[in-house]
Amino acid sequence: MSELPKTFDPASIESRWYAHWEASGQFRPDRPNAEPWTIVNPPPNVTGSLHIGHALDNTLQDILTRHARLKGKDALWVVGTDHAGIATQMVVERQMGALTPPQKRTDMTREEFVAKVWAWKEESGGEITQQLRRLGCSMDWANERFTMDPGFSKAVLKVFVDLHKQGLLYRDKRLVNWDPGLGTAISDLEVETREIKGSFWHLRYPLEDGSGFIEVATTRPETMLADMAVAVNASDERYTALIGKQVKLPITGRLIPIIADDHADPELGSGAVKITPGHDFNDFEVGKRAGTAAGSMLNMLDAKARVVQVSDGLIPEELLGLTTAEARKAVVARLKDEGFLIAHVDKDGEEHDAEPRTIQTPYGDRSGVVIEPWLTDQWYVDAKTLAQPAIEAVQTGAIDIVPKTWEKTFFNWMDNIQPWCVSRQLWWGHQIPAWFGPDGTPYVAETEAEAQALAGEGVTLTRDPDVLDTWFSSALWPFATLGWPEEATVPSPLRGEGQGEGQPSSAAPGTTPYPDPLPAGEREQKQLGGRYPNDVLISGFDILFFWNARMMMQGLHFMKDVPFRTLYLHGLVRAADGAKMSKSKGNVVNPLGLIDTYGADALRFFMAAMESQGRDIKMDEKRVEGYRNFATKLWNAARFAQANGIVASTTLEAPRADLAVNKWIIAETIATVQTVDLALADYRFDGAANAIYQFAWSRFCDWYLELIKPQMVGDERGVIDDESKAVAGWVLDQILVLLHPFMPFITEELWHAMGPRDHDLIVAQWPMADARSLDPEASKEVDWLIRLVQEIRTARNELNVPPGARLPLHVRDANAATLARLERQAPALARLARVSHAGGEATGGAAQVVVDEATFVLPLEGVIDLDSERARLTKAIAAAEKERDALSGRLSNASFVERAKPEAVEKAKADHADKAAEAARLQAALGRLG
């Protein structure tokens, strides 16, 4: 047993213990006869660095993993990183651009560029994996995965090819979020909506027969060059007679029809809406309902968002090649010159070309350019069909979403799911396994040789240059990381014959194209070495659809079972004022900086203690500091134990105890184990953390160690009895095990500091909640003692009794049991409350406290100036009540509540509560004096 240093220094122990755990294989699942327990990490981008959201997400996962390991399960935490197509390609291209002379991706072949990215990955990628180690994550690094490693890539290709064969993956022309800066389609998650000051233009579209015009309004007048219709509501009597007629489009002179569609709202504007299916998602759906095939929809922009000629060749030459911003100015100018622009009259009667509006505008979160809805050929997955088994899995409870409040959101999105665009116009990523013949026919196969066999000899094939969306590959994470398809035990379900390749599924909405993957009752038989389904998945709610739902779809389809039994969705970590963290606001908190200052254990415990289901976390550095103090408190308790001959326990069961104080702390330990077990079973991380905190700090350190602390006899200090030493050592061991999932570093250090061990704490055994050790009467007695000491201390403090003053303690109305307790606990009362039980009645001024049926009286004549104390308390009460009432008046003022900043209102409420409590406390103190 090594003596602990006087000062707790997290930095000196964290790197040492992590290196030991990893080097000794403690994170590896090596219990072949134990129950498998598996979790996979949401793979962070290989370009990423640890942010506060990662810290929360991975702390919660590590708590569950370490807990499962301590419970004797064969715990596996699968770890890996995502190749992050766009982000990684941008990093490498940016580095190339900084060279002298600058290099571009297009200066080299695709193969050369991909080789350069791999070289970057080996040299600089994966920094976040080292940062996860600093957080204490007990991941299986020996089997770290990467979404583009050979085995995983094979799984990705197989899934693409199989889905295509089954008619669930096809090529189609649809609108996508197009990033002109990056030259690729992007997902909704990569679109950042900003509020921009813009304009709302009102235009006249003349009727073909010259009988008048129809008015439309738009924030994007340049797109009128590709308009294909004007929509009105069939119930709008103003336009009933016009439905089916045509208008002559200004500038181009093209004739377009007036159609009926519910998208047009009679209550908004003129009730007529210009329809541009090739450049607006809502208009695209209107166009489809009107019978316009995607191939016939006009596309007036190129990949760089510059104006190009449409099929009828009517866009004026001077507009071609302009950016959207340039085209907007030119189109508005022409519309105005030709009399098609309706002036906006403001409140002062002045005319303007347009009405000012704040417009929600989509931007690429990486490129920073405006995102264009763009009509293009892409690869799509029939998400509607794949979603049905996932919906059923949640409905039947085969997947339990925690908290339940997210189920409604899940069902709403899944019921209205759109085809999933899975192709990206990049070089870095899984290149799509499709080859095109000269006529554009795609041949999908895992290898070029197989594609050539499909096409026939002599057909020249060209590989599709696009790569797959990274969400496509990460959707396979729960099973492809475990060796699938080589070790797959369930074949992929095949679709029936007769469906043409490259076509969407013909399954009716709401039906499954293959037998129900979830027969009655939950499947108990696991696949892939007992690791699939995974036991639980933890992620932020913001990727519920991008990742979680897609894992459900792919897992159910290819493994015929759910990917995980439980899906736990946590909230966001927000700034202290509740605002969302962002670099632009300058309120981002660096978790590595917090670890440097307070230690990883303190940050982890903060995350767990603040993680309440369904709520976001407000960052509070003072709380992190407080949990560092908690670690110091535990450190000092261990030093006290070392100084008093308390050593590591040799038994998992509680030692035999005869003293009430020892029976009490054993009962408190068992109750805490039960509370923590229930909280973790329900994923109540805050409940588990706070139960351990209160027990370790208050019950064990503040009370138990004080109650057993040896007294001074003359000039010598006594010793702790052997029974209490054994119990104290056992309780401290239980605390270290309970706390280990939350604070792994300090607990491992103290575990070994308390005496020789034959194993590390990380693989110790979880405490047993053995009710046989409970003694209700002993617990009641010590609880009574603690309440009495607390009441006496409060009275002494409020009445300014000198700390060193020893007071007699008189009692009234006490029953026999209380008098017996007073007798037994006299030494503890003398030491902890500085009182001694005295017989008879108290005389003169005195303080009174009530505990249960008895009133305890503390004579204060000659100890304090009673009149001065009454005057002080009366004055303090008046001041507190005055502030309380002033704050009450402010809060009852509707003007203040409505106009003040929310944080100001919250502060006023908190101050009011503080002053009200202070007034009540002081009033009670005055009442004690009689």
Side-chain angles (χ1 to χ4, degrees):
M1 182 172 74
S2 58
E3 184 176 349
L4 290 167
K6 183 176 182 180
T7 303
F8 167 54
D9 177 22
S12 67
I13 66 175
E14 290 179 358
S15 59
R16 171 165 47 86
W17 276 117
Y18 198 92
H20 166 76
W21 289 327
E22 186 174 355
S24 57
Q26 305 278 30
F27 305 152
R28 294 282 299 119
D30 59 357
R31 299 171 177 176
N33 298 321
E35 175 189 351
W37 185 92
T38 310
I39 189 171
V40 298
N41 77 319
N45 287 355
V46 70
T47 59
S49 59
L50 192 75
H51 58 60
I52 201 71
H54 288 134
L56 169 63
D57 198 84
N58 287 279
T59 292
L60 301 182
Q61 292 175 73
D62 197 40
I63 288 170
L64 295 185
T65 304
R66 289 179 183 269
H67 176 246
R69 199 179 283 123
L70 291 167
K71 294 283 280 187
K73 298 179 182 179
D74 195 31
L76 167 64
W77 186 2
V78 176
V79 62
T81 50
D82 190 279
H83 63 278
I86 294 176
T88 305
Q89 184 162 312
M90 283 186 66
V91 166
V92 176
E93 288 195 76
R94 194 178 299 122
Q95 287 185 351
M96 290 168 58
L99 297 174
T100 305
Q103 292 182 358
K104 293 181 180 179
R105 168 170 55 96
T106 51
D107 293 339
M108 57 185 67
T109 66
R110 180 182 187 130
E111 291 71 21
E112 290 170 338
F113 176 76
V114 169
K116 188 175 285 288
V117 179
W118 274 108
W120 172 88
K121 189 261 180 187
E122 295 306 316
E123 181 179 344
S124 306
E127 176 187 356
I128 193 170
T129 62
Q130 298 303 318
Q131 296 167 342
L132 288 170
R133 288 173 166 90
R134 288 201 61 194
L135 189 63
C137 298
S138 57
M139 297 162 157
D140 183 17
W141 297 107
N143 285 307
E144 183 179 350
R145 301 305 302 266
F146 181 53
T147 51
M148 283 189 64
D149 66 33
F152 202 94
S153 295
K154 184 171 183 179
V156 172
L157 295 182
K158 174 177 173 55
V159 166
F160 187 97
V161 173
D162 284 1
L163 287 175
H164 183 263
K165 287 179 180 177
Q166 297 156 19
L168 293 169
L169 188 148
Y170 54 92
R171 193 162 174 81
D172 197 10
K173 185 182 289 292
R174 295 177 60 89
L175 281 186
V176 296
N177 293 313
W178 185 262
D179 189 317
L182 299 176
T184 182
I186 61 173
S187 72
D188 290 342
L189 192 64
E190 293 153 330
V191 176
E192 177 184 282
T193 301
R194 304 179 192 171
E195 288 190 346
I196 302 296
K197 290 183 178 180
S199 300
F200 200 47
W201 286 269
H202 294 258
L203 316 177
R204 290 188 182 94
Y205 282 9
L207 296 171
E208 178 191 12
D209 60 11
S211 60
F213 65 88
I214 193 166
E215 179 184 336
V216 298
T218 180
T219 59
R220 301 190 67 195
E222 70 281 3
T223 62
M224 57 85 60
L225 299 170
D227 280 358
M228 298 191 71
V230 173
V232 297
N233 197 291
S235 65
D236 193 337
E237 296 179 356
R238 293 173 294 177
Y239 302 116
T240 303
L242 296 180
I243 296 173
K245 293 188 176 183
Q246 297 194 99
V247 297
K248 189 175 183 181
L249 201 60
I251 300 179
T252 67
R254 186 156 41 81
L255 294 177
I256 61 174
I258 298 172
I259 62 173
D261 195 279
D262 288 342
H263 176 60
D265 187 345
E267 302 298 321
L268 294 179
S270 67
V273 183
K274 63 186 286 295
I275 302 300
T276 319
H279 298 284
D280 183 276
F281 287 102
N282 290 322
D283 292 2
F284 180 79
E285 297 301 324
V286 174
K288 286 202 304 180
R289 288 195 292 270
T292 305
S296 302
M297 294 178 184
L298 300 181
N299 190 344
M300 56 165 280
L301 298 175
D302 64 10
K304 294 295 183 183
R306 292 182 177 272
V307 178
V308 294
Q309 189 59 266
V310 295
S311 58
D312 56 23
L314 296 176
I315 295 180
E317 195 72 30
E318 65 269 20
L319 299 179
L320 300 180
L322 299 183
T323 65
T324 51
E326 294 167 343
R328 181 172 302 172
K329 291 180 181 179
V331 166
V332 168
R334 263 191 86 155
L335 290 170
K336 184 176 182 180
D337 290 343
E338 296 174 12
F340 296 114
L341 188 67
I342 302 173
H344 167 67
V345 181
D346 64 20
K347 61 181 180 180
D348 298 322
E350 294 185 10
E351 290 190 354
H352 304 275
D353 288 346
E355 174 187 352
R357 283 281 183 92
T358 298
I359 302 169
Q360 301 291 325
T361 306
Y363 280 80
D365 66 347
R366 291 187 174 90
S367 66
V369 304
V370 175
I371 299 302
E372 290 288 344
W374 201 50
L375 195 62
T376 180
D377 291 301
Q378 302 284 348
W379 290 96
Y380 289 88
V381 168
D382 179 5
K384 185 71 174 178
T385 298
L386 291 180
Q388 303 313 309
I391 292 170
E392 184 181 353
V394 176
Q395 288 173 335
T396 61
I399 294 176
D400 183 24
I401 296 181
V402 182
K404 288 284 187 186
T405 49
W406 282 109
E407 284 190 359
K408 182 178 180 181
T409 306
F410 172 81
F411 290 133
N412 182 61
W413 190 79
M414 294 289 274
D415 287 339
N416 296 282
I417 197 167
Q418 296 297 306
W420 173 17
C421 176
V422 296
S423 45
R424 298 290 182 265
Q425 290 62 56
L426 304 169
W427 280 3
W428 171 246
H430 295 104
Q431 191 170 356
I432 288 174
W435 286 260
F436 294 102
D439 61 353
T441 301
Y443 299 94
V444 175
E446 292 188 40
T447 66
E448 185 173 5
E450 292 172 350
Q452 190 69 64
L454 291 173
E457 292 185 14
V459 177
T460 302
L461 297 180
T462 304
R463 179 79 181 263
D464 189 328
D466 292 352
V467 300
L468 284 164
D469 172 20
T470 53
W471 296 108
F472 184 89
S473 49
S474 63
L476 316 182
W477 199 244
F479 55 94
T481 52
L482 300 174
W484 187 89
E486 279 77 3
E487 298 179 24
T489 58
V490 175
S492 301
L494 297 179
R495 301 297 301 274
E497 297 293 324
Q499 293 196 41
E501 288 197 347
Q503 298 299 317
S505 164
S506 61
T511 65
T512 53
Y514 45 85
D516 181 6
L518 290 168
E522 185 176 309
R523 294 266 182 94
E524 294 299 331
Q525 184 64 40
K526 287 192 173 186
Q527 305 165 46
L528 298 177
R531 299 295 178 182
Y532 187 95
N534 304 162
D535 289 83
V536 61
L537 180 83
I538 292 183
S539 86
F541 69 84
D542 52 334
I543 54 174
L544 172 58
F545 308 119
F546 294 97
W547 191 48
N548 308 148
R550 287 165 178 170
M551 283 189 287
M552 295 181 199
M553 296 182 210
Q554 299 288 44
L556 281 161
H557 186 71
F558 285 94
M559 302 299 293
K560 298 292 292 291
D561 205 347
V562 296
F564 33 75
R565 301 295 190 204
T566 301
L567 170 60
Y568 182 87
L569 299 170
H570 60 75
L572 302 176
V573 184
R574 296 184 174 273
D577 61 359
K580 189 172 182 178
M581 291 187 186
S582 71
K583 292 180 180 178
S584 60
K585 292 180 181 178
N587 61 357
V588 174
V589 174
N590 179 9
L592 297 172
L594 293 172
I595 290 174
D596 289 340
T597 305
Y598 304 109
D601 285 332
L603 176 61
R604 289 168 59 108
F605 203 88
F606 167 79
M607 291 298 184
M610 298 299 287
E611 171 54 26
S612 180
Q613 288 182 14
R615 298 177 60 183
D616 289 341
I617 292 176
K618 288 185 180 179
M619 190 63 225
D620 185 349
E621 191 168 335
K622 294 298 291 183
R623 290 286 294 264
V624 181
E625 182 181 7
Y627 293 127
R628 157 67 190 266
N629 295 339
F630 173 50
T632 299
K633 181 96 169 178
L634 197 63
W635 185 270
N636 290 334
R639 293 185 68 246
F640 170 86
Q642 286 187 335
N644 288 277
I646 297 169
V647 297
S649 180
T650 58
T651 174
L652 187 65
E653 297 81 14
R656 175 181 172 79
D658 294 316
L659 298 176
V661 67
N662 290 327
K663 293 179 178 180
W664 166 77
I665 196 63
I666 289 171
E668 291 288 310
T669 305
I670 292 169
T672 302
V673 173
Q674 292 172 335
T675 300
V676 173
D677 280 342
L678 289 172
L680 288 179
D682 290 337
Y683 301 97
R684 297 281 179 183
F685 294 94
D686 54 343
N690 290 320
I692 300 169
Y693 179 89
Q694 293 299 331
F695 172 68
W697 185 298
S698 176
R699 289 334 225 184
F700 181 71
C701 294
D702 281 355
W703 287 109
Y704 179 69
L705 294 184
E706 285 298 318
L707 288 167
I708 67 169
K709 184 180 290 185
Q711 298 185 57
M712 295 295 294
V713 180
D715 294 332
E716 294 187 7
R717 190 178 71 171
V719 296
I720 299 176
D721 62 275
D722 289 341
E723 177 189 305
S724 297
K725 285 182 184 178
V727 171
W730 177 82
V731 174
L732 183 54
D733 270 9
Q734 309 313 298
I735 289 173
L736 295 177
V737 180
L738 286 171
L739 192 55
H740 179 75
F742 301 83
M743 302 179 105
F745 294 111
I746 186 175
T747 53
E748 189 74 81
E749 179 77 5
L750 296 182
W751 175 261
H752 290 277
M754 296 311 300
R757 308 279 191 175
D758 58 6
H759 57 270
D760 289 337
L761 174 57
I762 190 175
V763 290
Q765 189 170 341
W766 189 256
M768 297 186 302
D770 187 355
R772 292 174 299 175
S773 300
L774 301 181
D775 186 329
E777 289 306 315
S779 294
K780 288 178 182 178
E781 179 163 324
V782 178
D783 281 336
W784 169 86
L785 171 63
I786 290 172
R787 285 185 289 122
L788 179 57
V789 171
Q790 287 174 325
E791 290 290 340
I792 294 172
R793 285 176 173 177
T794 297
R796 293 178 64 121
N797 182 59
E798 289 175 346
L799 299 172
N800 285 329
V801 175
R806 292 189 174 274
L807 304 177
L809 179 68
H810 299 269
V811 62
R812 294 199 308 264
D813 306 325
N815 59 30
T818 295
L819 293 174
R821 287 172 176 172
L822 274 173
E823 192 69 30
R824 287 192 296 270
Q825 300 301 333
L829 284 168
R831 184 157 45 87
L832 299 177
R834 291 190 172 272
V835 297
S836 56
H837 182 206
E841 292 286 333
T843 59
Q848 302 181 45
V849 298
V850 178
V851 176
D852 295 338
E853 88 292 350
T855 299
F856 299 88
V857 185
L858 298 167
L860 297 177
E861 291 282 1
V863 179
I864 61 173
D865 185 329
L866 293 171
D867 290 336
S868 295
E869 188 59 27
R870 289 190 184 96
R872 183 189 71 81
L873 288 170
T874 301
K875 184 177 180 181
I877 290 168
E881 289 178 339
K882 182 178 180 180
E883 289 191 55
R884 175 199 66 192
D885 295 342
L887 288 162
S888 179
R890 188 186 307 177
L891 289 168
S892 63
N893 184 337
S895 177
F896 167 74
V897 175
E898 292 170 2
R899 296 181 181 179
K901 292 182 178 179
E903 52 267 32
V905 175
E906 288 302 315
K907 185 178 186 306
K909 288 180 179 178
D911 291 345
H912 176 265
D914 288 344
K915 289 301 174 184
E918 181 183 348
R921 178 173 54 79
L922 293 170
Q923 193 69 54
L926 182 61
R928 288 195 180 101
L929 286 177

